[in-house]
Amino acid sequence: MRLFYRTYHFILKCIVIFIGIPNPKLHRGRSGLVNAIASLQLAPDSNVLLVTDRQLEKLGITSPVKRLLEDAQLNVVVYNNVEPNPTIENVESGVSCYLDNQCQTPSSPSAVVLF
């Protein structure tokens, strides 16, 4: 069984090398969030979707992210209906929020940042 897993991982690694699947860039440190927002390369006044749940928003954990996005002249749309075990309907609701508010995506797929 171990040989099977090692072979499987080797094949996946080869596929990644030959196809060129982009590696996400990790932003960390004191300026990590600022650098991550800058790497999005969005035009000023673009709508961005901040996905969270009600509890994190109530605790104020999302406030620094929202403030930095606003400082970058981006309009923040908050979707706070995330459930602990999201259903398909929950995901579709988030997509609807994204589309209804005409949120923007980064110009470069490698600049996608998850918080």
Side-chain angles (χ1 to χ4, degrees), residues 82-115:
V82 175
E83 298 172 5
N85 293 313
T87 61
I88 292 173
E89 292 80 16
N90 191 214
V91 173
E92 288 174 345
S93 173
V95 171
S96 293
C97 180
Y98 176 85
L99 295 174
D100 292 346
N101 291 289
Q102 299 176 341
C103 294
Q104 302 297 308
T105 57
S107 57
S108 167
S110 63
V112 174
V113 181
L114 301 175
F115 297 103

Side-chain angles (χ1 to χ4, degrees), residues 37-54:
I37 292 169
S39 74
L40 294 175
Q41 301 175 352
L42 296 175
D45 292 326
S46 295
N47 293 342
V48 293
L49 186 64
L50 177 59
V51 180
T52 186
D53 63 19
R54 288 188 180 111

Side-chain angles (χ1 to χ4, degrees), residues 30-96:
R30 292 195 182 270
S31 62
L33 185 55
V34 174
N35 294 338
I37 292 169
S39 74
L40 294 175
Q41 301 175 352
L42 296 175
D45 292 326
S46 295
N47 293 342
V48 293
L49 186 64
L50 177 59
V51 180
T52 186
D53 63 19
R54 288 188 180 111
Q55 188 63 31
L56 289 177
E57 190 174 30
K58 187 191 304 184
L59 292 171
I61 293 173
T62 58
S63 295
V65 177
K66 187 175 179 184
R67 188 172 43 256
L68 287 171
L69 287 167
E70 290 169 347
D71 290 348
Q73 299 176 342
L74 299 171
N75 301 320
V76 181
V77 177
V78 178
Y79 177 74
N80 63 2
N81 295 324
V82 175
E83 298 172 5
N85 293 313
T87 61
I88 292 173
E89 292 80 16
N90 191 214
V91 173
E92 288 174 345
S93 173
V95 171
S96 293

